[in-house]
Amino acid sequence: MSEPATKFLLGEDAIPTHWVNLLPELPGEPLPPLSPQTGQPAGPDDLTPIFPMGLIAQEVSSEPEVPIPGPVRDAYKLWRPTPLYRARRLEQALGTRARIFYKYEGGSPAGSHKPNTAVPQAYENAQAGIEKLSTETGAGQWGSALAFACTLFGLECEVFMVGSSYDQKPYRRSMMETWGASVHRSPSELTAAGRAQAEHPTGSLGIAISEAVEVAAGDPRCNYALGSVLNHVLLHQTVIGQEAIAQLELAGAGMPDVIVGCVGGGSNFAGLVFPFLRAGADCRIVAAEPAACPTLTRGVYSYDYGDTVGMTPLMPMYTLGHGFVPPPVHAGGLRYHGDAPMVCALVKAGRVEARAYRQNETFEAAVRFARSEGIIPAPEPAHAIRAVIEEASDGDEKTILFGLCGHGHFDLAAYDAYLAGKLEDPVFSESDLEAALAALPEAPAI
Amino acid sequence: MSEPATKFLLGEDAIPTHWVNLLPELPGEPLPPLSPQTGQPAGPDDLTPIFPMGLIAQEVSSEPEVPIPGPVRDAYKLWRPTPLYRARRLEQALGTRARIFYKYEGGSPAGSHKPNTAVPQAYENAQAGIEKLSTETGAGQWGSALAFACTLFGLECEVFMVGSSYDQKPYRRSMMETWGASVHRSPSELTAAGRAQAEHPTGSLGIAISEAVEVAAGDPRCNYALGSVLNHVLLHQTVIGQEAIAQLELAGAGMPDVIVGCVGGGSNFAGLVFPFLRAGADCRIVAAEPAACPTLTRGVYSYDYGDTVGMTPLMPMYTLGHGFVPPPVHAGGLRYHGDAPMVCALVKAGRVEARAYRQNETFEAAVRFARSEGIIPAPEPAHAIRAVIEEASDGDEKTILFGLCGHGHFDLAAYDAYLAGKLEDPVFSESDLEAALAALPEAPAI
């Protein structure tokens, strides 16, 4: 009765009515994407073959807020608002003076934050008369989310799933098929891009993106959908941070001293962090990534392709080179050579601090979290948990907020390997970087 | 903004402070359990070798309400109150005039309603100085829940998992191990009960119960925990129905016309239904079970053992005979030869109506639900969904409430088989029943 609260819930009325667009207030010079054909700034016309105008308008919008369409907000009600938790049992287990809060997105039907953008993407495409979406998926979280969103709006869905994840997580495929999608192991024989990458049997997000873009570019009924990196994707995720601000208020905690998120393409991180930046939060911000694919901590800041083959516009970002195929670590959602340009600009400006963690120390943190808080985290946010434990161990009194962007129900083979002491722990090799960077496209220095 | 609400949430203050004990107001003569040794009514002393006094007191309590201990209520906050949903998209897909609501328990860390009782069971045992709990698990939902609860209260946990589920759901095992439990495939070589059942390699709940009871009976540090059937387990689940009453009120729906739940041992069903009976709800109540293990629709009402070997007290219930080993359908949680005596008494009295469904029609309903509401249901509550679709198809305007007691994230192999048209569809055989009933123990007729 008088026990302190653990969970801070909001009613459906508190689902945000607008997304927060941070583009107009990013630090540094605005750096446009460049056409892969001409090397000139890419405009909306470069995107129309694979994206609907509704999303292109969001991609380039300079409005500080973008309204959320009614049918999207209505679909959000299936799982939003998501809960904010105070991690009291973890705090106790750590013996920390820090107050730890986490925003949990794993309660969505697909099990992560990804439906926040899958739903508006499916909606805008359906509005534009498109009948089918193609996409890639790493860990399977994004593919599941898009399959779910497509079934809500009556679209077909075709997913290229990164080979290593396809093998590790067969039930992610079944989940997508249950929602009616068709799923292929990437690299596949179905596309020229896939056939050209047969020497990388475990695949990568970059390769799978090339395959999905090729399918969309060749079929007028079909558009392409991306689960991270692009401005409009990050925009859609800002429902997370907006709710978190209201919930911290409810908890009597006010603004946090530190915000921590994991970064693969950057969308869950941005979704949590951007609304706090808009609100002028004077806090430290930490981005956690895997040591096997340390884009923000070891990459170079340069224009590069978003995919492996070089079909997408060139984007300004930290990159390990579009040819880099990360080792098949279990955090499949973090196996990406680049990162969202908006997140990279904040790292470049020093506003966001990046840290890389090994796979075993990450799973150690995940098991610790599971045994105190109950929820089994996906390997991706386990990187954030690892950083939070570090932050909470300096003896200081402070408020930490982190994003628990998904559950690990489809990642238990990795937990199995960790508990058996059989988890490989690859680390990034300098020679890999040299080879990959040598293949960077010609583009203006930034 | 003005879209109708989909989800009805309550704050932590609305977590019930008491459990609802329906025992004092059950219809019919009170029928005590009987000692397997003497055939005489079993008293608390017959239970002390494997249960703590705190739970025994709840098992036999005649108080109409039982207070929930503070630390239990505190742990409930990790996932309670659970949401009540209006299934607007399913209604639309069915074109029904019925209003359909569901109470979703799949958001708990273990993915089902089972932690509602695992937590108080672990708590009472820890209070009594017990250091370890042994148990069985069918689908893995109960074993996961107990592993989770044991980690919260610092207990060891040993789980005997029914062979067919162990093979179908390897990641349920990993989940239990992540929470620190040890897990054995049942029938195992570790117990006399297991060694005696080598001719049933797929196992059954009855066999696994015998194994777990044998372990607890032979170790003074260790007690046994049961996930369903017993009065105190049903008692703990009544948080579900109490919250649902408050949420239907919030939804402006008042009392339902029909309540539907699936029945394996009966705990999720009872947890949803009993508070409505206590509140005097004048509604129809439907229990859904598998045609391959049709205890309520085809069993006989008789005293029988709770386990296969015959170590537990004799209980008055509908039974297919304690020797019946149901075929390995995917709804592992419903593969039990008997049912909770309290639920059976309500069926016997005509207050609850039972229906049995085949495996394929059940999965058809599950996929229909997943493609409209988003959540992929466990195979067990998919039986309830099948019954709800039937109820909603008669053209009548009415309010239906059903229990969605768990998600299907660990059941996707079964969805896979269904979508590929390869799902077996065993049905109960009359000759099975004759053989099993011939082995019923001697006991007073009821």
Side-chain angles (χ1 to χ4, degrees):
Chain A
M1 308 278 275
S2 58
E3 307 104 6
T6 297
K7 202 162 56 288
F8 302 92
L9 297 173
L10 302 169
E12 287 185 346
D13 288 350
I15 295 174
T17 56
H18 291 72
W19 292 302
V20 171
N21 182 16
L22 209 67
L23 198 59
E25 60 199 274
L26 274 189
E29 286 295 299
L31 294 168
L34 305 179
S35 158
Q37 283 82 35
T38 65
Q40 296 303 306
D45 287 354
D46 291 281
L47 300 173
T48 50
I50 56 170
F51 292 114
M53 274 312 296
L55 293 178
I56 294 171
Q58 293 173 2
E59 181 68 20
V60 300
S61 170
S62 56
E63 295 299 319
E65 293 190 330
V66 175
I68 301 177
V72 170
R73 205 165 169 274
D74 201 22
Y76 277 170
K77 292 183 180 176
L78 289 171
W79 75 96
R80 303 208 71 82
T82 62
L84 179 86
Y85 288 88
R86 169 89 183 262
R88 294 191 181 275
R89 288 173 185 272
L90 178 65
E91 290 171 15
Q92 214 169 354
L94 297 174
T96 180
R97 297 175 66 208
R99 296 190 294 177
I100 304 175
F101 291 90
Y102 57 96
K103 178 73 169 163
Y104 182 47
E105 294 288 313
S108 76
S112 78
H113 65 294
K114 294 292 189 188
N116 296 333
T117 183
V119 164
Q121 290 195 48
Y123 169 75
E124 290 293 348
N125 276 288
Q127 288 291 99
I130 288 294
E131 295 168 28
K132 174 180 166 182
L133 290 177
S134 71
T135 197
E136 75 294 330
T137 194
Q141 299 273 23
W142 166 242
S144 304
L146 195 68
F148 156 70
C150 282
T151 200
L152 295 186
F153 292 101
L155 299 173
E156 293 171 50
C157 183
E158 185 168 359
V159 182
F160 290 86
M161 185 170 186
V162 174
S164 56
S165 287
Y166 188 96
D167 300 338
Q168 287 163 358
K169 306 176 191 181
Y171 298 133
R172 274 283 172 198
R173 174 185 56 71
S174 313
M175 189 178 212
M176 294 183 253
E177 289 173 351
T178 297
W179 280 317
S182 61
V183 185
H184 315 295
R185 189 184 188 285
S186 169
S188 79
E189 287 293 317
L190 300 170
T191 66
R195 289 188 292 272
Q197 297 292 333
E199 82 268 34
H200 292 301
T202 59
S204 73
L205 272 171
I207 296 169
I209 293 173
S210 295
E211 293 206 80
V213 169
E214 185 179 324
V215 164
D219 179 354
R221 292 171 54 247
C222 179
N223 265 347
Y224 168 70
L226 187 64
S228 191
V229 179
L230 298 179
N231 300 342
H232 69 273
V233 181
L234 276 54
L235 177 79
H236 298 154
Q237 294 293 353
T238 59
V239 289
I240 302 173
Q242 291 183 74
E243 289 178 7
I245 290 173
Q247 287 165 312
L248 285 172
E249 188 78 22
L250 196 65
M255 283 290 166
D257 300 300
V258 193
I259 307 177
V260 181
C262 65
V263 175
S267 75
N268 122 77
F269 177 86
L272 180 65
V273 164
F274 286 5
F276 284 90
L277 290 173
R278 165 63 52 80
D282 177 30
C283 59
R284 289 173 43 239
I285 303 176
V286 176
E289 63 179 12
C293 188
T295 315
L296 294 174
T297 51
R298 305 288 295 279
V300 295
Y301 193 59
S302 171
Y303 269 108
D304 198 1
Y305 297 112
D307 68 326
T308 299
V309 170
M311 300 165 79
T312 72
L314 293 163
M315 292 180 293
M317 59 185 179
Y318 284 92
T319 177
L320 298 171
H322 64 278
F324 176 62
V325 176
V329 290
H330 286 275
L334 308 185
R335 290 180 67 233
Y336 185 58
H337 67 273
D339 272 329
M342 291 177 77
V343 171
C344 291
L346 290 164
V347 173
K348 181 71 181 169
R351 185 66 189 90
V352 169
E353 171 190 343
R355 299 188 202 156
Y357 297 101
R358 300 290 294 270
Q359 192 161 233
N360 274 295
E361 64 184 347
T362 298
F363 273 88
E364 185 194 0
V367 168
R368 200 160 182 179
F369 184 83
R371 291 185 183 176
S372 51
E373 290 293 308
I375 297 168
I376 297 180
E380 292 82 0
H383 289 76
I385 295 171
R386 179 66 188 77
V388 166
I389 291 176
E390 207 167 72
E391 281 291 329
S393 301
D394 62 7
D396 289 356
E397 203 171 310
K398 57 184 157 187
T399 299
I400 305 173
L401 168 68
F402 77 94
L404 184 58
C405 58
H407 63 61
H409 297 174
F410 296 88
D411 305 282
L412 283 157
Y415 278 88
D416 226 22
Y418 168 73
L419 292 172
K422 291 181 181 163
L423 197 61
E424 291 183 1
D425 210 343
V427 69
F428 184 70
S429 113
E430 206 62 44
S431 61
D432 279 348
L433 181 62
E434 279 166 30
L437 293 185
L440 277 185
E442 295 213 4
I446 53 176
Chain B
M1 305 282 276
S2 59
E3 306 104 5
T6 298
K7 202 162 60 281
F8 302 91
L9 297 173
L10 301 169
E12 287 184 348
D13 287 351
I15 295 174
T17 56
H18 291 71
W19 291 302
V20 171
N21 181 17
L22 209 68
L23 197 59
E25 61 199 272
L26 274 188
E29 285 296 300
L31 294 168
L34 305 179
S35 158
Q37 283 82 35
T38 65
Q40 294 305 306
D45 287 353
D46 291 283
L47 301 173
T48 50
I50 56 169
F51 292 114
M53 274 312 296
L55 293 177
I56 294 171
Q58 293 174 2
E59 181 68 19
V60 301
S61 170
S62 57
E63 294 300 318
E65 292 192 330
V66 175
I68 302 178
V72 170
R73 204 163 171 275
D74 201 21
Y76 277 170
K77 291 182 180 177
L78 290 170
W79 74 96
R80 304 209 70 83
T82 62
L84 179 86
Y85 288 88
R86 170 90 184 261
R88 294 192 182 276
R89 288 173 185 271
L90 178 65
E91 290 171 15
Q92 213 170 354
L94 296 173
T96 180
R97 295 175 67 208
R99 296 189 294 176
I100 304 174
F101 291 89
Y102 57 97
K103 178 73 169 163
Y104 182 47
E105 294 288 312
S108 77
S112 78
H113 64 294
K114 294 292 189 187
N116 296 334
T117 183
V119 164
Q121 290 195 48
Y123 169 75
E124 290 292 349
N125 277 288
Q127 288 292 100
I130 288 295
E131 295 167 27
K132 174 180 166 182
L133 290 177
S134 70
T135 197
E136 75 294 330
T137 194
Q141 299 273 22
W142 165 242
S144 303
L146 195 68
F148 156 70
C150 282
T151 198
L152 295 186
F153 292 100
L155 299 173
E156 294 171 48
C157 183
E158 186 167 358
V159 182
F160 291 86
M161 185 170 185
V162 174
S164 55
S165 287
Y166 188 96
D167 300 338
Q168 287 164 357
K169 306 178 191 180
Y171 299 133
R172 274 282 171 198
R173 174 185 56 70
S174 312
M175 188 177 212
M176 293 183 252
E177 289 173 350
T178 296
W179 281 317
S182 60
V183 185
H184 315 296
R185 188 184 189 286
S186 169
S188 79
E189 288 293 316
L190 300 170
T191 67
R195 289 188 294 271
Q197 297 292 332
E199 81 269 32
H200 293 301
T202 59
S204 73
L205 272 172
I207 296 168
I209 293 173
S210 295
E211 294 207 81
V213 169
E214 184 179 324
V215 165
D219 179 353
R221 292 171 54 246
C222 178
N223 265 346
Y224 167 71
L226 187 63
S228 192
V229 178
L230 298 180
N231 299 343
H232 69 274
V233 181
L234 275 55
L235 177 78
H236 297 154
Q237 294 293 353
T238 59
V239 290
I240 302 173
Q242 291 184 73
E243 289 177 8
I245 290 173
Q247 288 165 312
L248 285 172
E249 187 78 20
L250 196 66
M255 284 289 166
D257 300 299
V258 192
I259 307 178
V260 181
C262 64
V263 175
S267 75
N268 122 77
F269 178 85
L272 179 66
V273 164
F274 286 6
F276 285 90
L277 290 174
R278 166 62 51 82
D282 177 30
C283 59
R284 288 172 45 239
I285 303 177
V286 176
E289 63 179 13
C293 187
T295 315
L296 295 174
T297 51
R298 305 288 295 280
V300 296
Y301 193 59
S302 171
Y303 268 107
D304 199 2
Y305 297 113
D307 68 326
T308 299
V309 170
M311 301 165 78
T312 72
L314 293 164
M315 292 181 293
M317 57 185 180
Y318 284 93
T319 177
L320 299 170
H322 64 277
F324 177 62
V325 176
V329 290
H330 286 275
L334 307 186
R335 290 182 67 232
Y336 185 58
H337 67 273
D339 272 328
M342 290 176 78
V343 171
C344 291
L346 289 163
V347 173
K348 181 71 181 168
R351 184 66 189 88
V352 169
E353 170 190 343
R355 299 187 202 158
Y357 297 102
R358 301 288 294 269
Q359 192 161 235
N360 274 294
E361 64 184 345
T362 298
F363 273 88
E364 184 194 2
V367 169
R368 199 158 182 180
F369 184 84
R371 292 185 181 175
S372 52
E373 290 293 307
I375 297 169
I376 297 180
E380 291 83 0
H383 289 76
I385 295 171
R386 179 65 189 77
V388 166
I389 292 176
E390 208 168 72
E391 281 291 328
S393 302
D394 62 7
D396 290 355
E397 202 171 313
K398 57 183 155 187
T399 299
I400 305 172
L401 168 68
F402 76 95
L404 184 57
C405 58
H407 62 62
H409 297 173
F410 296 88
D411 305 282
L412 283 157
Y415 280 88
D416 227 23
Y418 168 73
L419 292 171
K422 292 180 181 165
L423 197 62
E424 291 184 359
D425 211 343
V427 70
F428 183 71
S429 112
E430 207 63 45
S431 60
D432 278 347
L433 181 62
E434 279 167 30
L437 293 186
L440 277 185
E442 295 214 5
I446 53 176

